């Protein structure tokens, strides 16, 4: 009961009223009357994954790599030997967030202009800074009250400490004045708090609104068809939407719906629908080796 009360007071998301969330408009027309993709609130793919499941996952970084390519910071090309090359196209600038710069520099440190996925596997890249920057980013954007990882860690260790205290109290009470069940109750409470720590990160009202917008984004990925987008705009709309499809687990459907072949950011490929999922799997495996992030897990808002 105490753990439930603590969650109610500190770990519960702030409520967002439906009237405040509003409708999600993903496809918009620009000043030239071209149809373009616009993410809700300008949220980035890596931020989507972190806000939805409160963790920085491998898929969040993978989607960020795709987004950097779509935005012309990177170029991705399939090469011989079932491998892929990631090439520096434009330098990281101030338009990128802190975690995006960390991803960029983890792949292509200063002085390195190109790298293959197999070379990354041998390098054992460090994603600790990416994780820290992304957690700090979602707090700075006021989507969370406190860093989700720090909140989970705090209550985990407090719970463990209380559980140990309870075990010690049980032994001491059993050997002295009795009433050892009081110590056992403290130990059980500590264990409950340690297991409940995963539920303690709390989204702000702004974060809850974004979660509703992400549900609208998923609806767009499920419902849009090529007929909804003029042919001249399909390549860009497909490309800008793809990183969000990756982070929300809609890659296969998105590729099936649009079946894009020739892209300005992905080269040397005759069958994009075959090559791209293989690239994602290879990159996921490399990033998971770093050991700083949870392995592939699809958020489900």
């Amino acid at each position: 009961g105490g753990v439930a009360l603590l969650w109610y007071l500190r770990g519960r998301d702030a409520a967002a009223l439906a009237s405040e969330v509003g409708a999600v408009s993903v496809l918009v027309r620009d000043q030239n009357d071209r149809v373009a993709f616009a993410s809700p609130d300008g949220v980035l793919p890596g931020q989507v994954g972190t806000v939805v499941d409160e963790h920085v996952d491998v898929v969040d970084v993978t989607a960020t790599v795709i987004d950097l390519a779509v935005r012309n910071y990177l170029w991705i090309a399939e090469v011989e030997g079932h491998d892929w090359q990631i090439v520096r196209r434009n330098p990281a600038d101030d338009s990128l967030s802190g975690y995006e710069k960390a991803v960029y520099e983890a792949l292509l440190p200063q002085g390195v202009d190109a790298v293959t996925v197999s070379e990354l596997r041998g390098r054992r890249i460090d994603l600790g800074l990416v994780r820290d920057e992304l957690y700090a980013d979602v707090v700075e954007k006021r989507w969370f009250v406190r860093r989700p990882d720090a909140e989970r860690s705090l209550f985990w260790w407090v719970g463990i400490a209380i559980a140990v205290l309870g075990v010690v109290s049980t032994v001491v009470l059993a050997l002295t004045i009795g009433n050892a069940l009081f110590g056992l109750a403290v130990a059980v409470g500590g264990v409950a708090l340690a297991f409940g720590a995963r539920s303690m990160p709390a989204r702000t009202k702004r974060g809850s609104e974004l979660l509703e917008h992400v549900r609208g984004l998923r609806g767009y990925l499920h419902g849009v068809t090529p007929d909804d987008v003029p042919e001249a705009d399909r390549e860009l709309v497909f490309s800008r939407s793809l990183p969000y499809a990756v982070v929300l687990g809609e890659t296969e459907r998105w590729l099936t719906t649009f079946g894009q072949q020739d892209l300005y950011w992905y080269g040397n490929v005759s069958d994009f629908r075959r090559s791209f999922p293989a690239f994602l799997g290879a990159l996921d495996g490399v990033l998971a080796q770093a050991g700083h992030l949870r392995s592939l897990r699809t958020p489900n808002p």
Side-chain angles (χ1 to χ4, degrees):
V3 173
L5 178 61
L6 183 62
W7 171 82
Y8 183 85
L9 295 175
R10 177 160 175 155
R12 189 173 52 139
D13 291 348
L17 299 177
S19 60
E20 296 174 326
V21 173
V24 177
S25 297
V26 177
L27 292 181
V28 299
R29 289 192 176 272
D30 61 20
Q31 58 185 4
N32 297 319
D33 203 33
R34 301 287 298 272
V35 172
F37 170 84
S39 66
D41 295 340
V43 63
L44 299 168
Q47 296 168 339
V48 167
T50 306
V51 170
V52 167
D53 64 12
E54 303 170 348
H55 286 83
V56 176
D57 299 328
V58 166
V59 68
D60 303 336
V61 180
T62 302
T64 298
V65 173
I66 304 304
D67 193 47
L68 290 174
V70 169
R71 289 156 57 195
N72 282 318
Y73 288 96
L74 302 174
W75 162 265
I76 301 170
E78 187 173 4
V79 296
E80 293 183 2
H82 198 62
D83 202 355
W84 291 264
Q85 187 178 48
I86 301 173
V87 181
R88 186 192 305 270
R89 174 171 273 182
N90 286 297
D93 54 29
D94 292 338
S95 297
L96 299 181
S97 64
Y99 84 88
E100 289 178 310
K101 290 180 180 177
V103 171
Y104 185 99
E105 292 166 3
L107 296 177
L108 298 172
Q110 189 171 3
V112 177
D113 291 326
V115 65
T116 62
V117 173
S118 58
E119 289 171 347
L120 288 174
R121 185 175 294 110
R123 189 201 297 172
R124 304 274 305 179
I125 60 178
D126 185 358
L127 296 177
L129 180 60
V130 174
R131 177 197 58 203
D132 292 341
E133 287 283 355
L134 189 44
Y135 276 131
D137 183 78
V138 296
V139 174
E140 182 182 345
K141 295 290 192 301
R142 296 185 290 114
W143 291 322
F144 284 93
V145 179
R146 291 165 285 272
R147 282 181 54 146
D149 60 330
E151 197 77 345
R152 283 189 296 268
S153 180
L154 170 65
F155 285 98
W156 165 261
W157 287 111
V158 170
I160 293 299
I162 293 175
V164 171
L165 178 62
V167 171
V168 172
S169 300
T170 300
V171 174
V172 172
L173 289 173
L175 296 177
T176 55
I177 63 175
N179 297 322
L181 287 179
F182 286 107
L184 184 60
V186 173
V188 170
V191 171
L193 181 58
F195 278 97
R198 69 188 68 182
S199 301
M200 294 309 295
R203 298 181 188 88
T204 62
K205 185 176 180 180
R206 180 182 172 91
S208 296
E209 291 175 0
L210 179 60
L211 193 63
E212 292 299 321
H213 287 160
V214 171
R215 290 193 177 103
L217 176 58
R218 182 186 285 275
Y220 153 78
L221 294 171
H222 271 278
V224 71
T225 67
D227 292 337
D228 297 323
V229 184
E231 186 174 357
D233 301 324
R234 284 177 192 167
E235 180 184 5
L236 190 56
V237 169
F238 168 83
S239 297
R240 291 301 304 271
S241 305
L242 183 58
Y244 298 87
V246 170
V247 81
L248 291 173
E250 302 292 342
T251 306
E252 183 176 352
R253 184 197 176 277
W254 197 244
L255 295 178
T256 301
T257 299
F258 280 82
Q260 201 76 28
Q261 295 293 326
D262 299 320
L263 297 168
Y264 63 90
W265 54 271
Y266 194 101
N268 300 346
V269 60
S270 59
D271 186 356
F272 181 75
R273 289 179 56 185
R274 173 202 58 80
S275 176
F276 185 70
F279 168 71
L280 291 181
L283 186 59
D284 284 340
V286 169
L287 298 177
Q289 285 182 354
H292 297 101
L293 311 177
R294 297 194 311 176
S295 296
L296 185 62
R297 177 174 179 266
T298 301
N300 186 23

